[in-house]
Amino acid sequence: MNWKTNKMEEIIKDLLLSNATSVFGVQVDENAIQFQKTRKDVEGDLTLVIFPFVKLLKTSPAEAGEKIGRFLKERIKEIDSFEVISGFLNFTISDKFWLKQLNTVSKDAKFGFAEPNSRPTLMVEYSSPNTNKPLHLGHLRNNFLGYSVAEILKANGHKVIKTQIINDRGIHICKSMLAWEKFSPLNEKGERETPANTGLKGDKLVGNYYVRFDQEFNKEANEICNEWEKGNFDNFSEDTHAEFKRLTESKTGKDEKAIAGIDAKIKDLAKNHTSLLQEAKEMLVKWEARDPQVYLLWTTMNSWVYDGFEKTYKTMGVDFDKLYYESDTFLLGKDIVTEGLKSGVFFKKEDGSVWIDLTDEGLDEKLVLRSDGTAVYMTQDVGTAVDRFGDYKDLSGIVYTVGNEQDYHFKVLFLILEKLGFSWSDNCFHLSYGMVDLPSGKMKSREGTVVDADELMDEVVNQAEAMTQERGHIEGLSEDEKTALFRLIGMGGLKYYLLKVDPKKRMMFNPEESIELNGNTGPFIQYAHARIKSLLRKARSIGALKETAILPEEKEIIKQLVEFPTVVDEAAKNYSPALVANYSFELVKLYNTFYQSIPILIEEDDDLKNMRLVLSENVAKVLKLAMQLLGIEVPERM
RNA sequence: GGGCUCGUAGCUCAGCUGGAUAGAGCACCUCCCUUCUAAGGAGGCGGUCUCAGGUUCGAAUCCUGACGGGCUCACCA
């Protein structure tokens, strides 16, 4: 942990703070001491902003800078010189200092990483899919983000438990089940379709029936609409007839858009009267009553989905330490709500539904239990959170990796937990990330524009293969090694593409760009690593660092290396793998410039050659560590 | 309509708690493999940081308003 005090910023800051009264006449705030990178076109390695001190010293920025500069140069031997330019104090630091920094970096195999388990235990939830359809592009962003944040928190010393909540109950599950029972064709043995007899991945098979339900559901609703249009209301109530009439009449005189909206309402009305929806609802009631037949169907179809997900997760390279199922936690949620009702946190309306009043917090009233006593989403989330803190006594907080469409939900959830008196509610954080858009617009399952996760991952790996074969750096690798390499490159590219953008922001997924190898991409970073490894193999041995001169290109790399611990720290504070990606990209650019213009192996001065090898070795090391934080592997050769 | 959020180069994105002449990548145009992997490097082109006010030594960054996207306000999850 001595890297922190090693940084020149810290040395200067400490010195200024402890001598503030003699330099400035008064004590100064720590925040007044601001450093920044020295501009490229200006001489110097580090810049101190003078403006905050100008008032204190009651002189011009030039004189203030001069005074501070002189003070520091006298006391810090590593400062070679300084220069004040329009309110900025630029220091030039000695080569010896930078070599020492490089030495510090090279001594630490896990440079930038804190002592494992030295900080509180956190749970990171991610993925959390519904069990009625396969994973898609949005889940990829979610999974890569959650996994990466877990790694980043670990690197900062936290013990991390990776988890997901599996959304395995509810009407949507019943829809797939019902469609399968009703519409699956029978084979010659009289069996309905299964993953085994069709060869389909379980999640895909179940997803197909979810889609099938929706199709049949719409068909039936349309038929009902047609009957209504003809004035046939034989099988419907007076109320329904009246509602239809009211809606139809409200269309007159409206514009196209409004009419479309009304038509949608009529369709919804029809949907509510379909026999399919009725059957699905009946199935849900049976499920809640643990009807043996429905339960068997449910466990069977869910197990198909889990098998399918398992394969997808494996390809993604993500895993979980503990799984939670809503079918297990919703009951606990109901109990907690019942208790909260007694203690006055919640209140009951006449129809028996239970609510929480958040109007004092500027929010609305929120339902926590339906009038029929069944659980809603919020109920089970309360239950799950409490369950988790019960399971892990040392748990200090939970990070929920969930899309920003649920910002409101989590705001409410955390408030409810707080009102229920759980002290840990403060340590619950919604890692809210933006949606992934396609060049054609939003992904919509109804319009079939959803990008399937398995297909996309296959595609990027195939592309990686084609492009790697083209370059031809891989002769001598076995077939297995080649397959692993293509996978590593394809997945590395995809992960990097999805992680390099600030998680909070909505992002554009461009299929062509996601498999690009040039520029700010995963393969660009991987290539730099492979190239260094190749260099080190040829160098055979590396000795200890000797005192040498260092070139500007080399110094820039050392400066960037020294920043790594700060980036690891910032990435955790901001829950942002993007900071790690951007840092790595900068490091590679600096290294490539160096690599391209300065000879290494053919350098005749042994000490210089050795220093360049140490530098290269540490760039490779830090790149590998950084990519590890993103869940990306780096190759020895490519 | 209320709440939240975003708006930076042709496109995709960086720009931390306000700090020097706003940066990358892609695309487009020039160059560079008799040095270690050219999946590379050097250079060029490209911006009234959506607009209008305000705060101050200083604003892409903070505040207010407008315009334009997105999300949300379900006894859906």
Side-chain angles (χ1 to χ4, degrees), chain A residues 258-317:
Chain A
I259 290 175
I262 296 165
D263 280 339
K265 277 185 186 163
I266 295 175
K267 180 103 181 262
D268 284 343
L269 187 65
K271 277 182 172 178
N272 276 327
H273 289 84
T274 56
S275 61
L276 271 175
L277 187 62
Q278 291 312 315
E279 285 181 67
K281 281 182 176 168
E282 282 161 24
M283 195 180 250
L284 181 62
V285 172
K286 280 186 181 172
W287 180 87
E288 294 224 2
R290 301 225 166 197
D291 176 282
Q293 217 178 332
V294 173
Y295 233 67
L296 179 63
L297 178 60
W298 176 71
T299 47
T300 305
M301 287 184 79
N302 272 349
S303 73
W304 294 346
V305 174
Y306 299 150
D307 287 348
F309 284 172
E310 198 48 51
K311 285 186 191 135
T312 306
Y313 289 140
K314 196 158 179 253
T315 313
M316 282 185 193

Side-chain angles (χ1 to χ4, degrees), chain A residues 88-112:
Chain A
F88 296 90
L89 175 54
N90 305 308
F91 300 103
T92 301
I93 318 286
S94 70
D95 288 358
K96 204 175 164 182
F97 176 81
W98 295 115
L99 279 171
K100 253 168 74 184
Q101 298 269 304
L102 175 59
N103 199 42
T104 310
V105 174
S106 75
K107 285 284 167 350
D108 188 350
K110 288 236 148 192
F111 177 67

Side-chain angles (χ1 to χ4, degrees), chain A residues 146-202:
Chain A
Y147 181 87
S148 175
V149 165
E151 290 300 311
I152 289 167
L153 291 172
K154 277 191 216 168
N156 278 276
H158 292 281
K159 185 177 160 196
V160 174
I161 301 155
K162 289 177 282 186
T163 191
Q164 57 174 329
I165 175 81
I166 298 171
N167 194 341
D168 61 348
R169 53 164 238 115
I171 189 80
H172 54 287
I173 310 294
C174 293
K175 287 178 179 176
S176 315
M177 283 158 49
L178 185 68
W180 182 78
E181 276 201 323
K182 290 182 87 86
F183 306 120
S184 172
L186 302 175
N187 67 8
E188 63 279 4
K189 291 182 200 160
E191 303 164 337
R192 292 194 181 89
E193 289 191 332
T194 66
N197 69 25
T198 58
L200 271 179
K201 233 168 131 260

Side-chain angles (χ1 to χ4, degrees), chain A residues 17-42:
Chain A
L17 285 176
S18 53
N19 292 281
T21 39
S22 67
V23 183
F24 307 110
V26 286
Q27 192 47 252
V28 296
D29 188 80
E30 196 182 339
N31 295 327
I33 302 171
Q34 300 168 24
F35 294 96
Q36 56 182 281
K37 282 185 183 168
T38 306
R39 281 176 59 103
K40 278 183 220 131
D41 51 350
V42 170

Side-chain angles (χ1 to χ4, degrees), chain A residues 50 61-67 69 82-90:
Chain A
I50 294 305
E63 273 180 56
E66 196 66 31
K67 184 175 175 191
F82 69 90
E83 187 185 14
V84 184
I85 304 173
S86 60
F88 296 90
L89 175 54
N90 305 308

Side-chain angles (χ1 to χ4, degrees), chain A residues 482-546:
Chain A
K482 282 184 191 170
T483 308
L485 180 65
F486 304 147
R487 221 188 78 76
L488 176 154
I489 296 170
M491 289 306 295
L494 183 61
K495 287 185 185 182
Y496 190 91
Y497 184 84
L498 289 171
L499 289 175
K500 72 177 173 183
V501 181
D502 182 348
K504 292 195 287 290
K505 291 193 177 170
R506 161 179 284 269
M507 73 174 287
M508 175 71 75
F509 181 85
N510 185 320
E512 281 106 59
E513 279 178 16
S514 70
I515 52 167
E516 208 19 84
L517 306 172
N518 308 317
N520 190 2
T521 65
F524 176 85
I525 313 274
Q526 291 171 322
Y527 181 70
H529 181 268
R531 211 159 55 159
I532 294 172
K533 285 296 177 173
S534 164
L535 185 75
L536 296 175
R537 261 178 259 126
K538 286 185 177 152
R540 292 197 291 275
S541 71
I542 304 176
L545 274 178
K546 298 272 171 50

